[in-house]
Amino acid sequence: MIAEPGLAEETASRLRNDIIGGALPPGFKLSETRLAADLGVSRNTLREVFRLLTREGLLRHEPNRGVFVAVPSMATIVDIYRVRRLIEVPALAHAWPRHDAVGQMRAAVEKARGARDAQDWRVVGSANMEFHAAIVALTDSARLQAFFAQIIAELRLAFGLLDSPERLHEPYIDRNGEILSLLTQGQQARAAEMLAAYLDESERVVLAAFARLG
Amino acid sequence: MIAEPGLAEETASRLRNDIIGGALPPGFKLSETRLAADLGVSRNTLREVFRLLTREGLLRHEPNRGVFVAVPSMATIVDIYRVRRLIEVPALAHAWPRHDAVGQMRAAVEKARGARDAQDWRVVGSANMEFHAAIVALTDSARLQAFFAQIIAELRLAFGLLDSPERLHEPYIDRNGEILSLLTQGQQARAAEMLAAYLDESERVVLAAFARLG
DNA sequence: TCAGTGCATATTGTTGAACAAAGCACGGCG
DNA sequence: CGCCGTGCTTTGTTCAACAATATGCACTGA
């Protein structure tokens, strides 16, 4: 077996993708022995992975009963959007229009547009998240960026429960473009305002979709 | 050996206190076998603990070389205060003056005053941090509170490097009281303003102390 | 003397097996 | 029909082992 640095991390990435991608549905129980065999790692290593992903909010650990894929609730959504508003809006409002991260924002917008043309809604979703991660990168805070990455992972898990990813992401692609435009023109205040309205609307849509699921 | 749920968490708490309390100085190398023996847990469990504390920013993990107590730098301080400003100020500005967490804020202020009278600067430091944690609790966001708890742990680690904890905390006890007063009187805007100035000044003091250490 | 080289040693990364303890399923019994 | 005990399964934790990597030290050659 190859002994590369961070087999646990690598396995965590793999499992993270399986969870966010929907291969492992929310509420699903992850058996240690079975999953360890499937992933080709030992039980001890898998437990380290479990701890990582539990800390990230993707798994739920019930003592002496096992680990389960987290089941996002409406409270989860509300909390996540609260955090997003609190972090993203000021980040944009105080941004320096020539910050490096603006390039990441532009790249994300272009990626999303390309994927929309190709009708690849999964990539659209990724690009959308990358756009928001880039907004947080405007703060130059490593800790904030790490935290936000977790928030994004949780949000994507919640999105996985919803159908019609098109309706979920398509309306925001061009709005991201407009926000980017405003920022590059030095109109941070208007950009932040637009983002705030955007987040409010997005939260409403997601909550409504959730409510339909019961 | 007792098999209670969360031996790893319990051990993590113990180790966290040792680190924040200064028993294990920044830069110190933590040998797996030795520390496992000292703490009375197995190497596997200790590795889980390492992962927890690494994620919290208290430890630094260098692949194939070992785990070390994190060494806070000026960049760490700057980043932490950036995060604090971004989170605490809006939290206070948008707070509901009759929120439950106001009680925690009051309790923290009183605890700090009592400890000041007893000249117990360590408790003053704790109470001070509890005050700020209470401010974040005003947001009602579980995720934000968890994140902030980490930030606080890191900051306390950095404080451990500095001497004269009196100068570090004493000037802020009464300011916390004033902020609390303003909030309960419904003057959130002025409270937030005061907190912002407070954070700026505190950052300057800490950075200056750091610079003296060289 | 001193820089470079190579080996012995210690430490980390990962695995597999073992065992106690807790939960769970199932069937017997009142 | 409900209650309970028994046995199976899974988790929580430890231990021992091995490969891979880093560290320290003696040795070499100028």
Side-chain angles (χ1 to χ4, degrees):
Chain A
M1 190 78 33
I2 307 161
E4 58 176 289
L7 183 141
E9 269 83 358
E10 204 199 335
T11 308
S13 272
R14 209 135 49 97
L15 197 53
R16 198 182 291 118
N17 288 337
D18 285 349
I19 293 170
I20 292 176
L24 302 170
F28 191 80
K29 167 159 183 181
L30 303 179
S31 157
E32 293 189 353
T33 50
R34 207 148 104 83
L35 191 58
D38 287 354
L39 292 172
V41 300
S42 83
R43 208 155 71 91
N44 276 321
T45 302
L46 183 61
R47 285 178 118 258
E48 280 197 7
V49 172
F50 280 170
R51 229 169 251 279
L52 277 192
L53 299 184
T54 298
R55 207 82 167 82
E56 290 179 20
L58 293 181
L59 298 181
R60 171 160 230 71
H61 177 87
E62 297 186 24
N64 287 320
R65 297 195 1 110
V67 276
F68 305 79
V69 178
V71 182
S73 67
M74 290 183 80
T76 307
I77 302 291
V78 170
D79 197 25
I80 287 177
Y81 273 91
R82 215 191 311 257
V83 170
R84 292 187 66 181
R85 260 187 297 267
L86 193 72
I87 292 180
E88 291 189 53
V89 173
L92 197 54
H94 301 128
W96 178 44
R98 311 187 57 167
H99 192 283
D100 279 353
V102 174
Q104 298 171 231
M105 290 171 69
R106 194 185 322 279
V109 169
E110 283 164 11
K111 180 174 168 187
R113 288 189 166 133
R116 174 180 55 188
D117 295 345
Q119 303 269 318
D120 188 343
W121 302 112
R122 176 189 261 268
V123 172
V124 170
S126 287
N128 202 358
M129 294 308 184
E130 284 163 25
F131 180 77
H132 291 277
I135 287 178
V136 177
L138 290 168
T139 64
D140 280 319
S141 167
R143 282 160 187 78
L144 225 42
Q145 290 175 65
F147 176 52
F148 200 75
Q150 289 182 206
I151 295 291
I152 282 182
E154 275 194 277
L155 188 58
R156 298 193 71 180
L157 174 61
F159 281 178
L161 286 177
L162 280 36
D163 36 31
S164 70
E166 173 178 350
R167 298 283 301 275
L168 211 53
H169 295 300
E170 202 281 335
Y172 304 107
I173 301 175
D174 287 324
R175 286 220 241 176
N176 287 346
E178 289 182 55
I179 288 172
L180 175 60
S181 269
L182 287 171
L183 174 60
T184 56
Q185 289 162 27
Q187 303 191 37
Q188 294 97 328
R190 283 193 37 80
E193 216 176 293
M194 198 169 164
L195 175 63
Y198 167 150
L199 287 174
D200 286 344
E201 182 180 322
S202 173
E203 181 183 16
R204 273 201 304 278
V205 169
V206 174
L207 283 177
F210 242 86
R212 275 196 297 278
L213 287 181
Chain B
M1 186 89 13
I2 307 160
E4 56 177 291
L7 183 141
E9 269 83 358
E10 203 199 335
T11 308
S13 272
R14 208 135 50 95
L15 197 54
R16 197 182 292 117
N17 288 338
D18 285 350
I19 294 170
I20 292 177
L24 302 169
F28 190 81
K29 166 159 185 181
L30 303 179
S31 157
E32 291 189 354
T33 51
R34 204 148 104 83
L35 191 58
D38 287 354
L39 293 172
V41 299
S42 82
R43 248 182 88 208
N44 277 325
T45 302
L46 184 61
R47 284 174 122 264
E48 281 196 8
V49 172
F50 280 170
R51 234 174 246 280
L52 278 191
L53 299 184
T54 298
R55 207 81 167 83
E56 290 178 21
L58 293 182
L59 297 181
R60 170 161 229 74
H61 178 89
E62 298 185 23
N64 287 321
R65 294 197 359 111
V67 181
F68 304 80
V69 178
V71 183
S73 67
M74 290 183 81
T76 306
I77 302 290
V78 170
D79 197 25
I80 286 177
Y81 275 90
R82 215 192 311 256
V83 170
R84 293 188 67 183
R85 260 188 296 266
L86 192 72
I87 292 180
E88 291 189 54
V89 174
L92 198 53
H94 301 128
W96 178 43
R98 310 186 58 169
H99 191 284
D100 279 352
V102 174
Q104 298 171 233
M105 289 170 70
R106 193 186 322 279
V109 169
E110 284 164 11
K111 180 174 168 186
R113 287 189 168 135
R116 173 181 55 189
D117 295 346
Q119 304 269 318
D120 188 343
W121 302 113
R122 176 188 259 266
V123 172
V124 170
S126 287
N128 203 358
M129 294 307 185
E130 284 164 24
F131 180 78
H132 291 278
I135 288 178
V136 176
L138 290 168
T139 63
D140 280 319
S141 167
R143 283 160 186 77
L144 224 41
Q145 290 175 65
F147 175 52
F148 200 75
Q150 289 182 209
I151 294 290
I152 281 182
E154 274 193 277
L155 188 57
R156 297 193 71 179
L157 174 61
F159 281 178
L161 286 177
L162 278 40
D163 35 30
S164 69
E166 175 178 348
R167 299 283 301 274
L168 211 52
H169 295 300
E170 203 280 335
Y172 305 108
I173 300 175
D174 288 323
R175 287 222 242 175
N176 287 345
E178 289 182 56
I179 288 172
L180 175 59
S181 268
L182 288 171
L183 174 60
T184 56
Q185 289 162 26
Q187 303 192 36
Q188 295 96 330
R190 283 195 35 83
E193 217 176 290
M194 198 169 163
L195 176 63
Y198 167 149
L199 287 174
D200 285 346
E201 183 180 323
S202 173
E203 181 183 15
R204 272 201 305 276
V205 170
V206 175
L207 283 177
F210 241 86
R212 277 196 296 277
L213 287 180

